[in-house]
Amino acid sequence: MDWSPYFPAYVTPKSPGTSPADGIQAETANRQLVKPVTVADVGCGFGGLLVALSPLLPDELILGLEIRAQVHAFTHSRIIALRAQDASTSVLPTSQTSTSTSNYQNISSLRANTMKFLPNLFPRASLSKLFLCFPDPHFKARKHKARIVSPTLVAEYAYVMREGGWVYVITDVRDLYDWIRACFDGTEVTEQDDDDHGNRKPRAKDVRRELWEEVAEEERERDPCMRAVREETEEGRKVQRNGGDKFAACWRRRGNPEWPLAITED
């Protein structure tokens, strides 16, 4: 994926003496970023969280992913306008290992279907943070397959997350929150039974929890990104105005399990 149009301030400068005659490979090499994208906001909406994360994570490149064309167009225009407030921010950082440019050069957005193309966008073990804020609950059972968190997608998130990376989740729908917890905690709702009062209740099937571990509440609340998740998204502000509840959790990527020792025959 060529990220240079999305983060122009972080494009590697052309080498002295490079000419068009050097061919496509030289041109491609000159368009590489000085650092990779390491933070993603899935379903970034109108970009409220992206704008809040830019000063919180100044040394990270942050990409918002949005499937709705008009919403993405607004977010893209918003980022361009914020960058244009100070023309000096287009200067490339002097160090390739550190340092941040200010004024929102480290954020961008892309229109994409995350459910289909996430592994095509990010290499394996490349992301340190992934945000899933107020996803569509898709209440009807036949639409659950369209939820942005599912047992299958949790495995894909694990593919792009580096060891120790965090996934941030927040929603105002309790049923969806329970569903997300079941997916990340390694349990899958397979059928329903009646409780003692005749109400339907889910039965969970235990599976091995190899991919994720939940971050303790005390550690989670110390993270400054958690405040942004609660307060800076447009949907979160609407929930707060209406006096609704917010259900938040974080999961940390576990290390890959070791392969079992090969059994040799005598």
Side-chain angles (χ1 to χ4, degrees):
M1 183 71 185
D2 180 12
W3 295 116
S4 57
Y6 301 91
F7 301 97
Y10 289 89
V11 177
T12 305
K14 289 187 177 182
S15 302
T18 302
S19 66
D22 294 330
I24 297 177
Q25 291 184 348
E27 179 65 20
T28 302
N30 287 331
R31 291 173 61 83
Q32 293 180 352
L33 299 182
V34 298
K35 60 174 70 176
V37 177
T38 56
V39 179
D41 179 13
V42 176
C44 64
F46 296 99
L49 182 61
L50 291 175
V51 173
L53 290 176
S54 180
L56 289 178
L57 304 172
D59 294 323
E60 308 287 343
L61 296 189
I62 309 167
L63 183 71
L65 301 167
E66 176 57 50
I67 193 171
R68 296 167 292 179
Q70 292 182 334
V71 175
H72 168 258
F74 174 89
T75 304
H76 179 72
S77 300
R78 179 182 184 181
I79 294 172
I80 296 300
L82 289 170
R83 290 175 177 176
Q85 289 180 357
D86 183 0
S88 64
T89 59
S90 62
V91 178
L92 186 72
T94 55
S95 169
Q96 295 187 5
T97 59
S98 88
T99 73
S100 46
T101 55
S102 58
N103 210 10
Y104 312 105
Q105 291 289 341
N106 64 329
I107 61 173
S108 189
S109 65
L110 172 70
R111 188 187 175 214
N113 187 331
T114 306
M115 295 177 67
K116 291 184 177 181
F117 302 116
L118 183 70
N120 300 96
L121 296 173
F122 303 108
R124 180 180 180 183
S126 60
L127 297 183
S128 61
K129 295 181 184 292
L130 181 70
F131 296 87
L132 305 168
C133 300
F134 298 98
D136 192 329
H138 292 292
F139 290 107
K140 295 182 179 179
R142 63 183 177 86
K143 296 291 289 181
H144 285 179
K145 61 184 179 181
R147 286 178 169 175
I148 199 64
V149 177
S150 68
T152 301
L153 288 172
V154 162
E156 291 195 4
Y157 296 146
Y159 175 83
V160 298
M161 295 297 296
R162 64 180 60 164
E163 183 178 345
W166 283 31
V167 172
Y168 299 74
V169 175
I170 189 169
T171 178
D172 60 329
V173 179
R174 182 69 200 207
D175 288 345
L176 179 61
Y177 176 72
D178 293 338
W179 165 279
I180 293 173
R181 291 193 66 90
C183 293
F184 276 100
D185 288 344
T187 60
E188 181 182 355
V189 176
T190 56
E191 56 182 308
Q192 290 186 328
D193 291 328
D194 291 336
D195 61 17
D196 296 336
H197 303 286
N199 299 318
R200 303 296 281 176
K201 64 178 183 179
R203 178 193 296 174
K205 179 180 67 178
D206 291 332
V207 296
R208 297 179 64 184
R209 299 175 57 184
E210 296 182 345
L211 300 177
W212 305 98
E213 61 178 350
E214 186 172 1
V215 178
E217 181 179 2
E218 182 179 354
E219 181 181 1
R220 180 187 74 204
E221 296 304 325
R222 289 199 303 264
D223 187 343
C225 293
M226 199 65 222
R227 187 200 65 80
V229 166
R230 292 183 183 277
E231 301 177 6
E232 298 298 337
T233 66
E234 288 78 11
E235 189 67 24
R237 291 173 179 174
K238 183 173 72 174
V239 172
Q240 187 170 353
R241 288 195 304 268
N242 296 334
D245 295 323
K246 300 177 186 178
F247 307 100
C250 295
W251 282 269
R252 181 187 291 110
R253 176 69 161 92
R254 294 178 182 268
N256 292 325
E258 296 182 0
W259 285 93
L261 298 176
I263 300 176
T264 59
E265 297 182 359
D266 295 335

